[in-house]
Amino acid sequence: MRELVRTNDLVLVSAIGALLDGANIHHLVLDQNMSIIEGSLGVLPSRILVHEDDNRLAREILRDAGLAHELRADE
């Protein structure tokens, strides 16, 4: 799994999820429910991951959508 985005913006998480779903790219959102532990402060970011094989296409889709600035470094 490769991390695409790490953000506290739940709307952004939802939008990226919709883009990936639309492209039929399976993804995983981690730490989405951490607000229960942290007390709903929103300081712990959610992470969006995709399978290694889908990484290049997922990054291209996010770049095309104007979200290149949100992408984590591709290692």
Side-chain angles (χ1 to χ4, degrees), residues 1-2 25-28 49-56:
M1 298 295 281
R2 301 288 294 271
I25 296 175
H26 297 286
H27 62 282
L28 181 63
L49 288 81
V50 296
H51 191 275
E52 181 81 30
D53 296 341
D54 295 323
N55 184 49
R56 197 179 98 245

Side-chain angles (χ1 to χ4, degrees), residues 16-74:
I16 291 172
L19 287 168
L20 296 175
D21 285 342
N24 224 10
I25 296 175
H26 297 286
H27 62 282
L28 181 63
V29 180
L30 298 179
D31 305 327
Q32 192 168 16
N33 296 316
M34 289 302 290
S35 62
I36 295 168
I37 295 171
E38 71 180 46
S40 299
L41 297 175
V43 294
L44 297 176
S46 296
R47 297 175 288 154
I48 301 174
L49 288 81
V50 296
H51 191 275
E52 181 81 30
D53 296 341
D54 295 323
N55 184 49
R56 197 179 98 245
L57 178 58
R59 288 176 173 280
E60 183 178 318
I61 289 167
L62 294 185
R63 279 190 214 98
D64 290 348
L67 298 173
H69 62 284
E70 298 291 346
L71 290 169
R72 299 289 287 178
D74 192 17

